[in-house]
Amino acid sequence: MKVDLLAQISNIPSHVGQTHECDPAKFVLICKPALPKMMGTLHPAGSLYEKPVNIELAKAQHAAFREKMESRGVSVLEVGEILRYDTEENINARIALEDFALKSLEYEFDKTSMGEASSDDLYYIGEEYKRVTIEGLSAEQLVDIILTRPKVSLLKSHRDTGFTANYNFKPLANIVFTRDQQITTRRG
């Protein structure tokens, strides 16, 4: 992180809020275009997009927008920065991120394979196996899990590891844009 913005935020009084829609922004939380947004553009109407989104153009525009806000003195943090904050130095922060990712990841046996699953196979869809998997991932990967909310469906296979996996995602594709035209202030 270029600047320790979270330290700046910790000095903001707890009574912060916007009193008037014309108040200057002091802090903005953003979510940069990435994999979840790209998934959303695979079917624009299904993700409440007006049209397909060129993700590379969106990334460039988003970076310029962030730079412009920061150049005007606005503290800007990205969702991933907040989720990853202090996970390299603070074990409690790392565990909290892992716990969040655990809640965002689902394992299941495909309905066609459930009858073939042995009691030993059930380990591979259980919480212990999921925890072991999550603990081996980087903080960036954990954020990707949180933002894409994957479901892994296992099919029995008679080769290699005994399983084939299918992946289904429920990405948080709509957290880039604010579409509501209303302004919400501290009083509602």
Side-chain angles (χ1 to χ4, degrees):
M1 192 179 305
K2 291 183 252 176
V3 178
D4 191 358
L5 293 176
L6 290 178
Q8 291 177 10
I9 292 167
S10 66
N11 294 326
I12 296 174
S14 61
H15 65 277
V16 299
Q18 185 175 0
T19 304
H20 190 274
E21 65 189 64
C22 294
D23 286 348
K26 294 194 178 359
F27 170 75
V28 175
L29 176 64
I30 61 172
C31 186
K32 67 183 178 186
L35 182 62
K37 281 53 140 193
M38 188 285 301
M39 288 178 170
T41 198
L42 295 175
H43 194 289
S47 297
L48 303 176
Y49 291 159
E50 183 179 343
K51 60 185 180 182
V53 176
N54 177 326
I55 199 74
E56 295 307 316
L57 178 60
K59 286 178 182 179
Q61 291 173 340
H62 196 269
F65 180 55
R66 180 179 184 162
E67 186 177 304
K68 181 63 111 176
M69 287 189 291
E70 289 174 334
S71 75
R72 294 180 179 232
V74 177
S75 294
V76 180
L77 278 179
E78 197 271 326
V79 170
E81 291 172 337
I82 291 172
L83 291 171
R84 288 187 307 274
Y85 180 73
D86 210 21
T87 56
E88 298 298 318
E89 292 83 28
N90 183 330
I91 189 68
N92 291 328
R94 171 65 192 207
I95 290 170
L97 182 61
E98 289 175 3
D99 288 345
F100 194 0
L102 279 167
K103 293 175 187 170
S104 302
L105 174 63
E106 294 180 55
Y107 287 158
E108 69 176 8
F109 271 112
D110 183 87
K111 291 173 182 63
T112 61
S113 293
M114 196 57 201
E116 299 177 45
S118 70
S119 57
D120 288 343
D121 293 338
L122 294 179
Y123 168 77
Y124 293 100
I125 61 167
E127 291 300 309
E128 182 181 349
Y129 183 75
K130 191 169 28 165
R131 169 73 65 188
V132 168
T133 301
I134 290 290
E135 288 174 352
L137 301 178
S138 71
E140 186 68 39
Q141 288 173 294
L142 297 176
V143 170
D144 285 343
I145 288 170
I146 292 164
L147 296 178
T148 59
R149 301 180 307 153
K151 179 186 281 189
V152 182
S153 297
L154 294 178
L155 295 157
K156 283 294 285 180
S157 168
H158 300 289
R159 299 183 50 188
D160 304 323
T161 63
F163 303 109
T164 300
N166 286 324
Y167 304 91
N168 184 354
F169 298 89
K170 296 174 276 182
L172 297 173
N174 283 324
I175 59 175
V176 173
F177 307 106
T178 302
R179 287 177 288 284
D180 293 337
Q181 300 305 311
Q182 294 179 319
I183 298 295
T184 303
T185 66
R186 186 181 350 199
R187 295 184 184 262

